[in-house]
Coordinates of all heavy atoms in Angstrom, one line a residue:
V1 N -14.5 11.8 -11.9 CA -15.7 11.1 -11.7 C -15.9 10.4 -10.3 O -16.9 9.8 -10.0 CB -15.9 9.9 -12.8 CG1 -16.2 10.5 -14.1 CG2 -14.7 9.1 -12.8
A2 N -14.9 10.6 -9.5 CA -14.9 10.0 -8.2 C -16.0 10.5 -7.3 O -16.7 9.8 -6.6 CB -13.5 10.1 -7.5
A3 N -16.1 11.8 -7.2 CA -17.2 12.4 -6.4 C -18.6 12.0 -6.8 O -19.4 11.7 -6.0 CB -17.1 14.0 -6.4
I4 N -18.8 11.9 -8.2 CA -20.0 11.5 -8.7 C -20.3 10.0 -8.3 O -21.4 9.6 -8.0 CB -20.1 11.6 -10.2 CG1 -19.7 13.0 -10.7 CG2 -21.4 11.2 -10.8 CD1 -20.7 14.1 -10.1
N5 N -19.2 9.2 -8.3 CA -19.3 7.8 -7.8 C -19.9 7.7 -6.4 O -20.9 7.0 -6.2 CB -17.9 7.2 -7.9 CG -17.9 5.7 -7.6 OD1 -18.7 5.2 -6.9 ND2 -17.0 5.0 -8.2
L6 N -19.3 8.5 -5.5 CA -19.8 8.5 -4.1 C -21.2 8.9 -4.0 O -22.0 8.3 -3.2 CB -18.8 9.3 -3.3 CG -17.4 8.8 -3.1 CD1 -16.5 9.8 -2.3 CD2 -17.4 7.5 -2.3
L7 N -21.6 10.0 -4.7 CA -22.9 10.5 -4.6 C -23.9 9.5 -5.1 O -25.0 9.3 -4.6 CB -23.0 11.9 -5.3 CG -22.2 13.0 -4.6 CD1 -22.2 14.2 -5.5 CD2 -22.7 13.3 -3.3
L8 N -23.6 9.0 -6.3 CA -24.5 8.0 -6.9 C -24.7 6.8 -6.1 O -25.8 6.2 -6.0 CB -24.1 7.7 -8.4 CG -25.0 6.8 -9.2 CD1 -26.3 7.6 -9.5 CD2 -24.3 6.5 -10.5
G9 N -23.6 6.3 -5.5 CA -23.7 5.2 -4.6 C -24.7 5.3 -3.5 O -25.4 4.4 -3.1
R10 N -24.8 6.5 -3.0 CA -25.7 6.8 -1.9 C -27.1 6.8 -2.4 O -28.0 6.3 -1.7 CB -25.3 8.1 -1.2 CG -24.0 8.1 -0.5 CD -23.7 9.4 0.3 NE -22.4 9.3 0.9 CZ -22.0 10.3 1.7 NH1 -22.8 11.3 2.1 NH2 -20.8 10.2 2.2
I11 N -27.3 7.3 -3.5 CA -28.7 7.4 -4.1 C -29.2 5.9 -4.3 O -30.4 5.6 -4.0 CB -28.8 8.2 -5.4 CG1 -28.5 9.7 -5.1 CG2 -30.1 8.0 -6.1 CD1 -28.5 10.5 -6.3
L12 N -28.3 5.1 -4.9 CA -28.8 3.8 -5.3 C -28.5 2.7 -4.3 O -28.9 1.5 -4.5 CB -28.0 3.4 -6.6 CG -28.3 4.3 -7.8 CD1 -27.5 3.8 -9.0 CD2 -29.8 4.3 -8.2
G13 N -27.8 3.1 -3.2 CA -27.5 2.1 -2.2 C -26.5 1.0 -2.7 O -26.5 -0.2 -2.3
A14 N -25.6 1.5 -3.6 CA -24.6 0.6 -4.2 C -23.2 0.7 -3.6 O -22.9 1.7 -3.0 CB -24.5 0.9 -5.7
K15 N -22.4 -0.3 -3.8 CA -21.0 -0.3 -3.4 C -20.2 0.6 -4.4 O -20.4 0.5 -5.6 CB -20.4 -1.7 -3.4 CG -21.1 -2.7 -2.4 CD -20.9 -2.2 -0.9 CE -21.5 -3.2 0.0 NZ -21.4 -2.8 1.4
T16 N -19.3 1.4 -3.8 CA -18.6 2.3 -4.6 C -17.1 1.8 -4.8 O -16.5 1.5 -3.8 CB -18.5 3.7 -4.0 OG1 -18.1 3.6 -2.7 CG2 -19.9 4.3 -4.0
V17 N -16.7 1.7 -6.0 CA -15.3 1.2 -6.3 C -14.6 2.2 -7.2 O -15.1 2.6 -8.3 CB -15.4 -0.2 -7.1 CG1 -14.0 -0.7 -7.4 CG2 -16.2 -1.2 -6.2
T18 N -13.4 2.5 -6.8 CA -12.6 3.4 -7.7 C -11.2 2.8 -8.0 O -10.7 2.0 -7.2 CB -12.3 4.8 -6.9 OG1 -11.5 5.6 -7.8 CG2 -11.5 4.5 -5.6
C19 N -10.8 3.0 -9.3 CA -9.4 2.6 -9.7 C -8.6 3.9 -9.6 O -9.0 5.0 -10.0 CB -9.4 2.1 -11.1 SG -10.3 0.6 -11.3
R20 N -7.4 3.8 -9.1 CA -6.5 4.9 -8.8 C -7.0 5.6 -7.6 O -8.1 5.5 -7.1 CB -6.4 5.8 -10.0 CG -5.9 5.2 -11.3 CD -4.4 5.0 -11.3 NE -3.9 4.6 -12.6 CZ -3.2 5.4 -13.5 NH1 -2.9 6.6 -13.1 NH2 -2.8 4.9 -14.6
R21 N -6.1 6.4 -7.0 CA -6.4 7.3 -5.9 C -6.9 8.6 -6.4 O -6.1 9.4 -6.9 CB -5.1 7.4 -5.0 CG -5.4 8.2 -3.7 CD -4.1 8.4 -2.9 NE -3.6 7.1 -2.5 CZ -4.0 6.5 -1.4 NH1 -4.9 7.1 -0.6 NH2 -3.4 5.4 -1.0
P22 N -8.2 8.9 -6.2 CA -8.7 10.2 -6.8 C -8.3 11.4 -5.9 O -8.3 11.3 -4.7 CB -10.2 10.0 -6.7 CG -10.4 9.0 -5.6 CD -9.2 8.1 -5.6
S23 N -7.9 12.4 -6.6 CA -7.5 13.7 -5.9 C -8.6 14.7 -6.0 O -9.3 14.8 -7.0 CB -6.3 14.3 -6.6 OG -5.9 15.5 -6.1
P24 N -8.9 15.4 -4.9 CA -8.2 15.3 -3.6 C -9.0 14.4 -2.6 O -8.7 14.4 -1.4 CB -8.3 16.8 -3.1 CG -9.6 17.3 -3.6 CD -9.8 16.6 -5.0
L25 N -9.9 13.6 -3.1 CA -10.9 12.9 -2.2 C -10.2 11.8 -1.4 O -10.5 11.6 -0.3 CB -12.0 12.2 -3.1 CG -13.2 13.0 -3.5 CD1 -12.8 14.1 -4.5 CD2 -14.2 12.1 -4.1
G26 N -9.1 11.2 -2.0 CA -8.6 10.0 -1.3 C -9.5 8.8 -1.4 O -10.5 8.9 -2.2
V27 N -9.3 7.8 -0.6 CA -10.1 6.6 -0.8 C -10.9 6.2 0.4 O -11.6 5.2 0.4 CB -9.2 5.4 -1.1 CG1 -8.4 5.7 -2.4 CG2 -8.2 5.1 0.0
R28 N -10.9 7.0 1.5 CA -11.5 6.6 2.8 C -13.0 6.4 2.7 O -13.6 5.6 3.4 CB -11.2 7.6 3.9 CG -11.8 9.0 3.6 CD -11.3 10.0 4.7 NE -11.9 11.3 4.5 CZ -11.5 12.2 3.7 NH1 -10.4 11.9 2.9 NH2 -12.0 13.4 3.6
N29 N -13.7 7.1 1.8 CA -15.2 6.9 1.7 C -15.6 5.9 0.7 O -16.9 5.7 0.6 CB -15.8 8.3 1.4 CG -15.6 9.3 2.6 OD1 -15.8 8.9 3.7 ND2 -15.2 10.5 2.3
F30 N -14.7 5.3 0.0 CA -15.1 4.3 -1.0 C -15.2 2.9 -0.3 O -14.4 2.6 0.6 CB -14.1 4.2 -2.1 CG -14.2 5.4 -3.1 CD1 -13.5 6.5 -2.9 CD2 -15.0 5.3 -4.2 CE1 -13.6 7.6 -3.7 CE2 -15.2 6.4 -5.1 CZ -14.4 7.5 -4.8
D31 N -16.1 2.1 -0.8 CA -16.1 0.7 -0.3 C -14.9 -0.1 -0.8 O -14.5 -1.0 -0.1 CB -17.4 0.0 -0.8 CG -18.6 0.6 -0.2 OD1 -18.8 0.6 1.0 OD2 -19.5 1.2 -1.0
L32 N -14.4 0.2 -1.9 CA -13.2 -0.5 -2.4 C -12.4 0.5 -3.3 O -12.9 1.1 -4.2 CB -13.5 -1.7 -3.2 CG -12.4 -2.5 -3.8 CD1 -11.5 -3.1 -2.7 CD2 -12.9 -3.7 -4.7
A33 N -11.1 0.5 -3.1 CA -10.1 1.3 -4.0 C -9.1 0.3 -4.5 O -8.4 -0.4 -3.7 CB -9.5 2.4 -3.2
I34 N -9.0 0.3 -5.8 CA -8.0 -0.6 -6.5 C -6.8 0.3 -6.8 O -6.8 1.2 -7.7 CB -8.6 -1.2 -7.8 CG1 -9.8 -2.1 -7.4 CG2 -7.5 -2.0 -8.5 CD1 -10.7 -2.4 -8.5
L35 N -5.7 0.1 -6.1 CA -4.6 1.1 -6.2 C -3.3 0.4 -6.7 O -2.8 -0.6 -6.1 CB -4.3 1.7 -4.8 CG -5.4 2.4 -4.1 CD1 -4.9 3.0 -2.8 CD2 -6.0 3.5 -5.0

C-alpha cells in the first residue's frame, strides 16, 4: 500500500506516513517513516 500512499498524498496534498520500510520504494519520498 506504500505506492498508493504516495500517490494519494499528492492528490490530496496530505502528509504521507509509512510504518515499516516498504520494498522496493524505501522511505525517501515519505514525509515520515516509522521504522
Side-chain angles (χ1 to χ4, degrees):
V1 287
I4 305 301
N5 186 330
L6 290 173
L7 293 173
L8 186 62
R10 293 187 183 187
I11 290 178
L12 298 178
K15 299 294 184 181
T16 54
V17 180
T18 180
C19 296
R20 302 282 187 107
R21 183 182 296 275
S23 175
L25 277 68
V27 303
R28 64 186 182 277
N29 293 315
F30 286 90
D31 294 300
L32 180 65
I34 300 163
L35 301 184

